[in-house]
Amino acid sequence: MPPQPAARRGPGPMVPPPQQQFSNAQMQQHQAQTLAMQERELAKRRARKPTDKDISPAIEALIPAAASYRELRELEKRYDAAIMRKRLDIQDAINRNVKNTRTLRIFVSNTAKDQPWQQSSKPLPENAFDFDTGLTPTVRVKIEGRLVDDEEADMIEANPDHDLNMDGEESIKKKTEAGQAGKKKFSHFFKSIIVELDRGTEHPDGNVIEWRKPSPNTQPATAALGLEGPKEFDGFEFERKSDENINCTIKLIRDESPDRFKLSAPLAYLLDTQEDTRAGIVMKLWEYVRSNGLQDREDRRKIHCDNAMRHVFHAETLWFPQIPEKTLSNILPLDPITIPYTIRTDVPSHFSSTVTDVTVYIDDPIRAQMQSILNSPRYHNDLREIQKLDDHIATLILALNHSKAKHDFWEAFAKEPAGFIGRWVSSQKRDLDTLCGEGASEGVEEEEKRKAMWRDRMTESVYMLLARQGPGR
C-alpha cells in the first residue's frame, strides 16, 4: 500500500521568535558604538559647517561697502578680547575667595521672674497658713549678636535725621544698600553655642546648655519629624530655675568656610599672624621663601630652610610640595570665644552687663554679584544667539564667495572663450588625475619624459634579446 500522506495540522498559535539575550559587556559595547557614531556624525556636521567670516580683498574691490564690514569685524575682535579678559579677571577674583572682616557685637542679658523680693510686694491671702506663694523663681538668659554696620544701618532707617557720624554717614548708607540682601544673622557665624553654669550649684535641668548647628545630612530627618527649628536666628535664649546669682561661661565655636586654624608659636612668628586658612598659610610660606631667596638654583622645588624655618619644620632642606603636609603638626583648631557672665537675680528689669566685639570673616558681597554674572542664564542665551548670528554670517559669506567664483568664471569665459575652455579642461584633467592617484606628484611634461625614457629602454632591450637568439629566430 502506498504510504498515507500525513494529516495536515490546523492553524496554531503564533509563537514569537526567541529574544536574544545580551550580556552587560555586549550592551556596553553597543552603547559605546552608538556614542562613537554620534560623535562622528557631529564631527562631520562641524566639518561641513562654514566658519570663514572674512570677505576677500577681491570682493572689497568690487563692493566699496565691504570695507565697513571689515572694520566692524576688527571692532568685534577687540570687543570679544576685552570681554574675555574681564571674564577671566572675574573668574580669578572668585577663585581667590577674598574675605572681608566685620565686627560682630555680642550682647548677653538676663531677666529675673518670680523672685522672693518680687513676691514680697504681692499681698498674701487672709487665710494663708504659710508664706509660700506657689511661684517658682526663674531667670531667662538671652545671647544675641549683630554686625556693627547692620546695627548702625538700622539706626539710620529708624531715624534718618539721627546724627550717627556726619563724616561717615554717606558711606554707611552706601554699605547698607549694597549689603542689605546679604545680611548675616548671629547663628551664621557659629557651629555651636555652649553655656556652662557654675559647677558649685547643681541645677535640676542640667549645668550645660548647648546648641549645635544642624548638619546638611540630618536636616531632612529633623524636618520630617517636625523638629526643625529656624535655620538662622539673631538671639539664643534659655531659662533656668534659680533665686541666686549664677556664674556661667559662654563658649562660641566659630563656623568659617574655609576653616581657619591657630598657628603654633614658631609658625606664627615666621608668618607674623596668629591664625589663617591652610591655603593662606601655604601662600605666606611661598612669599617668605621667594622674598628670602631660599629656593635651590637648579631645582626650584627644593627649599633651603633658614633658622626660622628650621624651628618650624626641623629640617635643613624641604620640598615645596611637602609643605601642606608638614604644616599639619603646626596648626590647631581655633579656641572658642569665651565670655564670662553672671546671671543676676536681684535686678528688677532687663539687664545687659556684657558687650563683646568679635572679628568675623564674611564673603565679599561683590563676589556673589560676580558669581551671578558668570551663572546668569541671560548670558548663556546671549551666547547662543551670537553663535546663531555668526553661523548665519558665515553662510552668507560662503554664498558671497560662491557668487564671486561664478562671476570670475563667466567673466573669463566672455573675454576669451576658446582659450578659457582649453585651460579649464586642462585644469579639470589635472584635478581628476590627482584624485585618481595618477600624476599626483609630477606634471604633464614630467610624465611625458618618463614615458619616452621607458619606451627607449624597452626598445633597446628587445633588440638585444633578438640578437642573442640568433638570425634564424
Side-chain angles (χ1 to χ4, degrees), residues 43-59:
K44 290 179 181 178
R45 292 181 182 179
R46 288 193 295 266
R48 292 192 299 265
K49 186 178 179 179
T51 57
D52 188 13
K53 291 178 288 190
D54 295 329
I55 296 179
S56 63
I59 298 178

Side-chain angles (χ1 to χ4, degrees), residues 274-398:
Q274 298 297 325
E275 59 184 50
D276 206 338
T277 62
R278 294 187 64 183
I281 293 171
V282 174
M283 182 59 66
K284 287 183 173 63
L285 282 170
W286 171 244
E287 293 174 356
Y288 179 83
V289 168
R290 292 190 60 185
S291 60
N292 290 275
L294 301 179
Q295 287 179 280
D296 190 83
R297 293 184 178 180
E298 296 181 357
D299 192 348
R300 307 299 289 177
R301 298 176 301 168
K302 189 176 181 179
I303 299 171
H304 298 280
C305 298
D306 59 359
N307 189 30
M309 292 189 67
R310 281 193 291 270
H311 280 82
V312 177
F313 300 105
H314 305 288
E316 294 294 332
T317 58
L318 188 68
W319 294 93
F320 191 81
Q322 297 176 341
I323 286 182
E325 181 181 357
K326 294 287 186 180
T327 54
L328 291 178
S329 59
N330 290 275
I331 59 176
L332 297 171
L334 288 176
D335 294 332
I337 300 171
T338 304
I339 303 175
Y341 181 72
T342 301
I343 303 174
R344 303 285 297 275
T345 60
D346 55 351
V347 180
S349 60
H350 190 77
F351 181 73
S352 297
S353 61
T354 302
V355 178
T356 306
D357 288 343
V358 178
T359 301
V360 294
Y361 298 87
I362 62 173
D363 292 332
D364 192 347
I366 299 179
R367 183 170 180 264
Q369 298 178 6
M370 292 180 177
Q371 189 71 42
S372 64
I373 292 174
L374 294 182
N375 299 332
S376 173
R378 179 181 177 182
Y379 172 76
H380 296 289
N381 294 335
D382 292 343
L383 283 183
R384 285 191 290 268
E385 186 67 24
I386 292 173
Q387 185 63 38
K388 291 180 181 178
L389 294 176
D390 286 342
D391 295 342
H392 185 59
I393 292 173
T395 304
L396 294 178
I397 295 298
L398 181 63

